[in-house]
Amino acid sequence: MGKIVCNISMSLDGYIAGPDDDNDKYPLGKGGERIHEWVYELKSWRSLHGLEGGIDSKDGEIIAEIVESTGAMIMGRRMFDSGEKYWGDNPPFRNPLFIVTHTVPEITSKGGKNIYNFVTGGIESALGKSKAAAGDKDIAIMGGADIIQQFIKAKLLDEIQIHLIPVLFCGGKKLFDNLGDKQIGLEIIRVVNSPNVTHIKYKIVK
Amino acid sequence: MGKIVCNISMSLDGYIAGPDDDNDKYPLGKGGERIHEWVYELKSWRSLHGLEGGIDSKDGEIIAEIVESTGAMIMGRRMFDSGEKYWGDNPPFRNPLFIVTHTVPEITSKGGKNIYNFVTGGIESALGKSKAAAGDKDIAIMGGADIIQQFIKAKLLDEIQIHLIPVLFCGGKKLFDNLGDKQIGLEIIRVVNSPNVTHIKYKIVK
């Protein structure tokens, strides 16, 4: 099997969503879209979303690499609920998606029925089911923060790639929170930088 | 005149000191020395501290560049108090140091008398006095977090270079805190990476 990884955009002050996040009005928190702007112009991202055009760049290669290396994905229910209405009948996932949830919802979108898998047994159950689906490829933990924190605390996450965005949010949802009171060691695997974002891939020392 | 800058080591989760910082027992907070380890082996850092040996590396060039470009320094009183006893009669500063304080202390170290300047009028007063001393070179805001935050809030800081360290502190003193509730824009000026640390220099959008 591959690795268990996370690729996520974060402000320099550690936020992955703006303040006052609300699934209906501000799914990314107020101003939270700022940390995702770097992907919108990328050809590799646009093609995932059925959009034409876009540019090739080092940032685009990062997205293409993630798509290529991922075999299955795990996501929290709250993130799924806020995303599903936008993803619609042709969700931007090319892999089985395992959603950690307490109760299994009714799905209205057609396309998603083939790739959405609801798991009620927590992160370890989702991980077990995603392993068979991922084959030799990586399992990507998509978020939100709570699910990622659970994987780090359980020492299940192998690597985390931070897309570090040049902005201070000064409030919102922190990525690295609720992780206990002991230092967690990291090792730098790779740095790729562009004018818009600094991609740093870390191994998590267990 | 030059720019008003800050160069500071920070954990990936945003801390510049560990928890339970205490000037006597843990001046860097518990475990806080982890984010400074990258400098100890560097020839350019060791020579500043009167130590022989050490290695040349990209990290060392960063330190040498900071030393070369700095003409004056501003520091908070608490940081000064925790440092002075270690710096002794031959402090590792080659420039005038302006210490923001409420009251002017008695100094016991000999060497420092020539470069320590105590300023009781707050950060703007310290800035005014340091400008003449800096000449064409930069004024470096050394810390602690509170002084750096005051400079950012007052829109006086031009650039900040983060030496981003691969570790999660999971607690301690945050660099970016108390900055209000509005996003602060940054622009990436330069990224230099080594196996131990990622140096990212940002312009602060005012």
Side-chain angles (χ1 to χ4, degrees), chain A residues 173-186:
Chain A
K173 177 76 83 178
K174 285 212 175 279
L175 174 57
F176 298 115
D177 208 355
N178 310 309
L179 293 174
D181 59 1
K182 290 199 169 52
Q183 285 188 10
I184 298 171
L186 305 170

Side-chain angles (χ1 to χ4, degrees), chain B residues 20-28 78 81-82 85-86:
Chain B
D20 305 321
D21 58 328
D22 170 302
N23 268 0
D24 292 322
K25 283 176 68 180
Y26 301 106
L28 304 171
R78 191 157 183 280
D81 282 350
S82 71
K85 57 180 170 285
Y86 301 104

